[in-house]
Amino acid sequence: MMELLSETGPDGELGEKIILHVDMDAFFVSVEEVLNPKLKGKQVIVGGDPNGRGVVSSASYEARKMGVTSAMPMKTAKRLCPRGIFLKGSHYVYGDFSRRIMEILRRFTPALEQVSVDEAYLDLTGCQRVHKAGPVAIAQRIHDAVRDEVGVPCSIGIASNKVTAKIASTLSKPHGLIYIKPGYEGAFLAPLPIGKMPGVGPATETGFVKMGIRTIGDLARFPQEALSKVFGVRATELSDRAGGKGGSEVDPEGDDAKSIGRELTYSTDTDDPELLLATLSYLSESVGTRLRRAGCVFRRVTVKLRYADFNTYTRSRTLEEPSGDTRAIYKSASDLLSLLHHRGRGGVRLVGVSVSMLAEPPRQAGLFENRSAKKVERLNFSVDRAREMFGFESAMTARSYIHASLRASSKDGVAAVAVNRGARAA
């Protein structure tokens, strides 16, 4: 069902900024329904073992009616939805569907910015004459093409900027479309709860409410001087966004993978530094293999720790030179762990490693090639080849083997949760 807010002519106004936010509906579940149509209309939850310590990655709208939400612990989802169908899912399969969807979107405009595996921004400014249609008609074609060619539904928000378009697509779910006519952005946003603003989580929302800011309109009207005392230089940006103005441009370069990472959730919280290092080593090897498979090098390494109380901490390090070496990932990750891990905080629930600031490998003339670097490159290639032939755990460092063997024997109760960030990582 398509929904239209703020009527306009069939062609809109030529020259106006037209930004679309295209977001798949319950993407992982929708893919599973394409693969197995018998799942349609049922309470489907993707995330793994309902008795484990993983979290919900995606839930069907039937499961959501039972109170199941993304990022909810699987055990909670099982309690709320005892008759639910729980699936582990496959990020490689979801990545393939994602690539097909992005190929469809690129048919409508080259100005596409993919921000996750299941959502993207499109800048259609100036494209109306090419498509001989207005923004609503073009969005309808996109919606129908994704549904007919890939089989998954999506929701679309259309506005003059990314923030308003994203809010519109969220409110149009499921299977809907909302168009905010230029000049109506502020009126559309004003009555919405402040929690609907992208980037405003529960803690930030609580802070806003204490300031008397309960709606997005309240934020737009809040005295600039008072707002600056709390948010500093960000005050103007927040005020503009709340009024439906400003925001960043669609970045066509953003459709490449922004990061490649993997996370692991322990079935039992741990405070053992050796186990944490073994897990970091295992994750670093996995990320390194995926990085090279994507044909990339990196400059930044990020480590994430989530403790038993669900408080999450991250630290990053940027290398002086780009690298594609697994050892460089682990060296930085282990150094970051020493800065992040404090025993006084309690046991660790989740560990994650990711690399970002990705680029294509530099091309060097043979005369100036670094022999040591070439040896490392050949070693990584040989390890990757062995893993392709015999499985990932066929070639690992001793430290990674410790993690793998404990996981296999279930002594540490590690539940793996792979997270691919970005199209090329999938």
Side-chain angles (χ1 to χ4, degrees):
M1 177 179 178
M2 306 301 282
E3 180 181 355
L4 173 65
L5 181 72
S6 298
E7 295 182 359
T8 186
D11 295 323
E13 296 294 332
L14 294 178
E16 293 173 345
K17 199 72 172 176
I18 302 172
I19 306 298
L20 271 64
H21 182 254
V22 182
D23 195 4
M24 302 303 114
D25 297 324
F27 181 52
F28 296 170
V29 169
S30 296
V31 171
E32 296 294 344
E33 290 175 349
V34 172
L35 301 176
N36 181 5
K38 292 182 179 180
L39 295 174
K40 290 184 178 181
K42 297 183 179 179
Q43 299 169 356
V44 181
I45 300 165
V46 176
D49 183 3
N51 299 312
R53 282 167 53 88
V55 296
V56 175
S57 296
S58 181
S60 66
Y61 286 92
E62 289 76 16
R64 295 183 191 191
K65 292 177 182 177
M66 305 298 291
V68 179
T69 61
S70 297
M72 172 183 287
M74 292 297 291
K75 288 184 178 179
T76 303
K78 177 67 174 178
R79 187 179 72 251
L80 293 173
C81 197
R83 297 183 179 179
I85 300 172
F86 292 83
L87 304 174
K88 181 179 180 180
S90 170
H91 286 275
Y92 293 104
V93 173
Y94 304 149
D96 179 62
F97 271 72
S98 176
R99 281 187 287 272
R100 292 165 58 193
I101 291 167
M102 297 306 151
E103 288 174 2
I104 292 173
L105 300 186
R106 286 189 182 91
R107 297 205 305 249
F108 292 86
T109 174
L112 178 144
E113 177 183 351
Q114 183 176 356
V115 292
S116 72
V117 71
D118 62 347
E119 62 177 317
Y121 290 101
L122 287 74
D123 189 340
L124 289 179
T125 306
C127 294
Q128 292 149 276
R129 284 177 176 165
V130 175
H131 294 289
K132 297 180 180 179
V136 174
I138 297 172
Q140 179 74 65
R141 293 175 189 175
I142 291 172
H143 176 279
D144 294 348
V146 172
R147 179 198 61 201
D148 297 341
E149 297 179 39
V150 184
V152 300
C154 66
S155 295
I156 303 176
I158 313 172
S160 61
N161 60 78
K162 291 164 71 174
V163 173
T164 308
K166 181 174 177 61
I167 294 174
S169 71
T170 300
L171 294 179
S172 72
K173 286 182 173 291
H175 321 332
L177 182 156
I178 291 180
Y179 174 41
I180 310 303
K181 187 178 180 180
Y184 288 81
E185 298 90 349
F188 164 69
L189 296 172
L192 300 177
I194 190 63
K196 294 294 185 182
M197 278 276 287
V200 176
T204 307
E205 183 178 6
T206 300
F208 274 129
V209 171
K210 289 180 179 179
M211 296 170 63
I213 299 174
R214 298 180 180 276
T215 67
I216 296 178
D218 291 339
L219 177 58
R221 294 185 296 268
F222 203 80
Q224 190 72 29
E225 183 178 349
L227 201 62
S228 297
K229 290 180 179 179
V230 179
F231 295 100
V233 295
R234 289 195 62 222
T236 301
E237 178 188 357
L238 287 171
S239 183
D240 285 346
R241 289 188 175 190
K245 299 176 290 185
S248 61
E249 297 289 325
V250 171
D251 178 13
E253 299 300 321
D255 62 336
D256 287 331
K258 292 187 177 181
S259 68
I260 294 176
R262 193 178 179 196
E263 300 174 350
L264 285 164
T265 300
Y266 294 107
S267 294
T268 303
D269 301 332
T270 183
D271 205 22
D272 182 351
E274 288 302 316
L275 176 56
L276 292 173
L277 283 172
T279 302
L280 273 189
S281 178
Y282 185 88
L283 292 174
S284 297
E285 293 203 51
S286 176
V287 170
T289 294
R290 296 181 184 195
L291 175 78
R292 293 184 292 274
R293 184 184 299 156
C296 295
V297 292
F298 71 94
R299 282 194 60 207
R300 179 176 294 159
V301 178
T302 301
V303 171
K304 176 166 74 172
L305 291 187
R306 179 170 296 151
Y307 287 85
D309 59 4
F310 278 84
N311 282 324
T312 304
Y313 303 88
T314 61
R315 291 292 291 268
S316 300
R317 167 182 288 182
T318 301
L319 279 60
E320 292 184 2
E321 299 291 337
S323 174
D325 184 17
T326 294
R327 294 180 302 176
I329 301 174
Y330 175 68
K331 174 63 170 62
S332 295
S334 59
D335 290 345
L336 292 169
L337 178 67
S338 65
L339 299 175
L340 274 175
H341 182 225
H342 301 288
R343 293 199 171 204
R345 289 176 179 161
V348 174
R349 174 187 177 88
L350 174 148
V351 180
V353 174
S354 64
V355 293
S356 56
M357 296 180 68
L358 307 183
E360 293 184 1
R363 299 287 184 256
Q364 285 184 305
L367 180 61
F368 300 104
E369 285 181 346
N370 185 310
R371 291 187 178 182
S372 177
K374 293 302 292 182
K375 287 182 179 179
V376 170
E377 183 179 336
R378 285 195 294 269
L379 175 61
N380 284 322
F381 175 81
S382 298
V383 171
D384 294 342
R385 185 65 183 273
R387 287 170 176 166
E388 288 179 6
M389 296 176 64
F390 306 110
F392 175 77
E393 295 182 358
S394 64
M396 293 187 296
T397 62
R399 192 181 291 277
S400 296
Y401 181 76
I402 293 173
H403 169 90
S405 55
L406 285 174
R407 176 182 166 196
S409 63
S410 298
K411 290 179 181 178
D412 70 335
V414 176
V417 181
V419 178
N420 292 316
R421 297 181 177 85
R424 295 175 69 179

